[in-house]
Amino acid sequence: MSRADGTDGASAADGLVSAARSVGREAARCAAAAETARRLDPDVVKAVVAAGFARHLVPAAHGGDEGTFLELGRAVSAVGEGCTATAWCASLAAHIGRMAAHLPEEGRRAVWAEGPDAFLVASLTPLGTARPVPGGYRLSGTWPFVSAIDHADWALLAAQVPDQGPRVLAVPRGTWRTEDTWHNVGMAATGSHTVTVTDATVPAARTVARDDLFTGRGAARVVPRLAVPMQATTMMFAVPALGAAKGAFAAWRQHAERKIRAAAGAPAALPGMPSFNRVTWDTTLARTATGIDAAELLLERAAETADSFRPTPAPTPGTGLGPDLDLDLGPAPGPGFTPLETMRIWRDCAVATDLLVGVADRLFRAVGTGGQSSASPVQRFWRDINSVAGHQALQVESAATAYAHQALGF
């Protein structure tokens, strides 16, 4: 693991992480233009796919890598050091590939008919309606905030089915139309526009009950190791912010080193005038490096716990916490994890993100007027990290309530 201060922890010299560093450099080069366009550069998306993100969690039976969450997290972080938006889209594409493994076999074959590198997007809030018809469903609805929709081959969209409950339906490009609605100041390049589907027929084999997806039951018969409950994969949203914090820290260090060297040879300040205070810069360096390392340790523990998942024959009971928020992290933890283990992962991801917001705010303040130019990557990372932290899946309050219910038993 590469630490915030540049020292090395455990080795991550695997293929995806190595390729991710190149993707991060290319994404950084294109970041300003991508923000203006409000979508990722097509060549950067091609690089993300070529690096292996889309196939990383795809079942081997369909040509995928069946990789680990830990390796994926390290790769996403490496991309995030160059561009948070690219890391976000790469992370979601990989995790949504795992979600598609919950489809019946015929549906999986359709999604990966042209290979495991299909680029998938999703909206798992059941905002649409799916009416049962012979052989499948008729789908209609509108879903906002679908990241990277401009580059998608397939979309997983959640809808309410009358008398059945919510289902997730896989639809190919050409099924939806995209409305240009993404104008946010943070994560601008994700292109998280609104998707509308009107009366599209979806075969039953390209659908799965949302409960089966969220609990992991749907994939248990396909790739048991990847049948992880949704709340135990919250790192998909948090790790891009880790990479962004590292990128902001690197940019701040360049600025700080120039200031410190310049101050060393500068004449003494006039009486009564403020002088350069080296302690301020040293303290910022130490606190920032520590904050990033702490967040990384939490996120890597979450990934390692998810990688340790082994399903049991029967699913665990529900948490009894009631309906979820925003992207709906789902009802109950799935087989193989206790509810407490699952909620600890969610807690760790939310707290890690909160730590990274503190890092970003400190660096933005410390870099000063000279480093807050619109051309500075520090301000871009600052906006992006705060935007990521606004995602409902990363709210400390929600995670704390869910964790406390399990930890205290009431």
Side-chain angles (χ1 to χ4, degrees):
M1 175 169 67
S2 176
R3 300 300 184 191
D5 59 6
T7 60
D8 289 331
S11 173
D14 47 70
L16 183 62
V17 176
S18 178
R21 295 191 183 100
S22 296
V23 175
R25 289 191 290 271
E26 178 65 9
R29 187 184 67 80
C30 298
E35 280 208 318
T36 300
R38 292 176 294 112
R39 66 195 297 265
L40 297 183
D41 185 288
D43 287 337
V44 170
V45 176
K46 290 177 183 176
V48 166
V49 173
F53 281 97
R55 65 166 58 218
H56 184 71
L57 296 178
V58 172
H62 296 280
D65 294 339
E66 285 187 25
T68 66
F69 293 107
L70 182 61
E71 179 186 5
L72 176 60
R74 289 174 174 173
V76 168
S77 178
V79 173
E81 292 184 44
C83 174
T84 328
T86 304
W88 176 268
C89 294
S91 181
L92 294 188
H95 281 274
I96 295 166
R98 185 192 72 87
M99 297 176 200
H102 291 71
L103 295 169
E105 183 177 359
E106 183 181 339
R108 299 194 306 273
R109 287 201 306 266
V111 169
W112 293 306
E114 297 183 11
D117 289 324
F119 196 91
L120 275 59
V121 299
S123 178
L124 302 182
T125 304
L127 298 176
T129 300
R131 294 182 291 104
V133 296
Y137 299 87
R138 298 288 287 181
L139 176 66
S140 294
T142 297
W143 295 263
F145 312 131
V146 184
S147 297
I149 186 62
D150 289 338
H151 307 284
D153 298 311
W154 287 81
L156 303 185
L157 302 174
Q160 291 286 352
V161 180
D163 302 321
Q164 293 184 23
R167 294 189 74 81
V168 177
L169 302 90
V171 296
R173 170 176 286 281
T175 304
W176 64 80
R177 71 175 185 274
T178 304
E179 301 173 39
D180 187 338
T181 56
W182 185 248
H183 299 272
N184 286 33
V185 297
M187 302 293 280
T190 59
S192 301
H193 298 297
T194 298
V195 169
T196 298
V197 174
T198 304
D199 206 28
T201 300
V202 183
R206 283 202 264 116
T207 78
V208 61
R210 199 184 67 152
D211 282 2
D212 286 347
L213 173 59
F214 283 133
T215 61
R217 287 190 296 264
R221 65 189 181 279
V222 183
V223 186
R225 186 179 63 77
L226 296 181
V228 181
M230 190 69 71
Q231 284 160 314
T233 64
T234 312
M235 73 283 291
M236 79 174 86
F237 305 116
V239 175
L242 173 65
K246 291 182 179 182
F249 190 31
W252 176 85
R253 281 188 60 163
Q254 290 182 347
H255 177 81
E257 287 171 12
R258 288 194 299 269
K259 294 280 287 187
I260 292 170
R261 288 194 179 99
L270 295 174
M273 294 291 289
S275 60
F276 180 85
N277 188 349
R278 170 69 186 266
V279 174
T280 300
W281 299 85
D282 292 348
T283 303
T284 298
L285 180 76
R287 292 183 66 191
T288 300
T290 304
I292 291 174
D293 282 354
E296 186 166 35
L297 287 168
L298 286 171
L299 292 173
E300 294 218 339
R301 183 175 72 171
E304 288 171 341
T305 302
D307 283 329
S308 73
F309 175 84
R310 296 296 181 270
T312 54
T316 16
T319 63
L321 295 180
D324 199 82
L325 305 169
D326 193 35
L327 262 191
D328 281 336
L329 297 178
F337 276 150
T338 67
L340 180 59
E341 287 174 313
T342 300
M343 298 311 166
R344 189 190 75 177
I345 291 176
W346 185 10
R347 177 206 70 187
D348 285 354
C349 291
V351 171
T353 304
D354 196 53
L355 287 172
L356 295 171
V357 169
V359 165
D361 289 349
R362 183 181 304 113
L363 291 175
F364 184 72
R365 182 173 66 248
V367 79
T369 305
Q372 292 173 2
S373 159
S374 60
S376 167
V378 173
Q379 58 80 27
R380 171 168 55 85
F381 286 125
W382 172 69
R383 287 185 286 110
D384 287 346
I385 292 170
N386 277 276
S387 180
V388 168
H391 195 286
Q392 188 59 62
L394 299 174
Q395 299 305 295
V396 173
E397 296 80 5
S398 299
T401 297
Y403 175 73
H405 270 272
Q406 295 304 324
L408 301 177
F410 60 88

